[in-house]
Structure formats: structure tokens, C-alpha cells
Amino acid sequence: RRVHGGQGGGGAPVEMLAVAAPPTQPPASTHMGQELSKSERPELASARIVISGGRGLKSGDNFKLLYDLADKMGAAVGASRAAVDAGYVPNDMQVGQTGKIVAPELYVAVGISGAIQHLAGMKDSKCIVAINKDPEAPIFQVADYGLVEDLFKAVPAMTEQV
């Protein structure tokens, strides 16, 4: 036992303890490697054709309709913030003010209402085609061509014709 006399005047006992090293444990995580996902589709931000889906698709599984059409057209696939927020697709597919800004030759908006934040990301597209069953959807105000139709009928019919 040692006693340390500090500046405070009173000496407090200091006890030396032996501490055992903690047992070694396996690492909490292990790097298994990395791989890039390969897609034949063009990059969203630089694509000549972009097909984007919105909340009207109702689920992530239904984006397959857009992937099938995009593959036939050589298009990239995007999404509205509503579709991303609903968990249908990852956020790197988001087109809009808080997503990617695109200006393709052809932009096809499927089941997208046309919120201002989405329009900010695609308004410079050369030709905008909108497919929505709601004739009052704001997307039709910026669209060059509009189709008021159920997307679950229209998109498979388009895919068949391409």
C-alpha cells in the first residue's frame, strides 16, 4: 500500500491492482468480399430513356412490369419519392429534388401523381409520357403525352408492342 500526498493536504490511500487482459473474442464482423451488381440497363442519370414508377405500382414486386419494358427499350428505371419511401425500391432509384436529376430524350412516368419535388428532377426531359388512371393527376400538366389508363393494363400492352 502506498500513500500519495497530493496538493490537497490529506493523503488518500492508493491501492495497486492487477488487471487481467480481456479474453480474445472473434471480430464482430468479417469482410467477405465485394461484388458489383451488373445490369444491362443504362445509368439513371445519363440514360436516353427513363421509365419511372410511383406509388400507383402498389408494391416493389410490381416494378417488374417496368423492368420488363425498360429491358426491351434499353431504358433506365427510376422511381418517385413516394415509391422509395414506401420501400418498393432502393433510394438510388429516386428521381426528384432529393434524388437524381434526369433529362432524357424520353421520360415515361408510370403511376406517378406528379408532386412538385418529383417534377423538379425530370422537368428538363425532352418528351414526357404519363400513364395514370387519375385524369386529374398533376403529372398530366407537364406531360407531352398522357394516357389515362390502369397501368396494370397499359404497361404490359406497351411491353408486348415494343
Side-chain angles (χ1 to χ4, degrees):
R1 199 177 247 193
R2 293 188 350 216
V3 175
H4 174 66
Q7 283 182 298
V14 175
E15 199 171 319
M16 301 299 275
L17 299 174
V19 178
T24 58
Q25 295 179 351
S29 63
T30 304
H31 179 71
M32 302 298 286
Q34 65 186 35
E35 59 184 65
L36 294 173
S37 58
K38 177 122 170 69
S39 171
E40 299 300 317
R41 286 185 211 111
E43 182 65 34
L44 181 58
S46 59
R48 284 181 46 250
I49 303 170
V50 174
I51 301 171
S52 285
R55 193 179 5 225
L57 280 152
K58 298 181 182 169
S59 78
D61 291 341
N62 289 332
F63 263 77
K64 182 177 180 342
L65 293 169
L66 302 190
Y67 298 140
D68 291 346
L69 180 58
D71 289 344
K72 281 190 150 186
M73 294 179 71
V77 177
S80 68
R81 180 174 179 165
V84 170
D85 287 350
Y88 298 170
V89 292
N91 64 356
D92 63 344
M93 290 175 65
Q94 183 177 324
V95 171
Q97 194 171 4
T98 56
K100 293 199 171 85
I101 306 297
V102 299
E105 291 176 30
L106 174 61
Y107 186 87
V108 182
V110 181
I112 292 177
S113 65
I116 290 284
Q117 115 41 66
H118 184 78
L119 299 180
M122 48 66 80
K123 66 181 174 21
D124 293 330
S125 302
K126 308 289 179 285
C127 180
I128 300 170
V129 175
I131 302 170
N132 198 305
K133 66 181 178 184
D134 176 7
E136 302 299 316
I139 192 76
F140 289 122
Q141 293 174 13
V142 298
D144 297 293
Y145 300 95
L147 176 60
V148 178
E149 180 62 81
D150 181 336
L151 69 89
F152 295 103
K153 292 178 184 170
V155 175
M158 285 174 64
T159 304
E160 202 175 284
Q161 294 299 314
V162 174

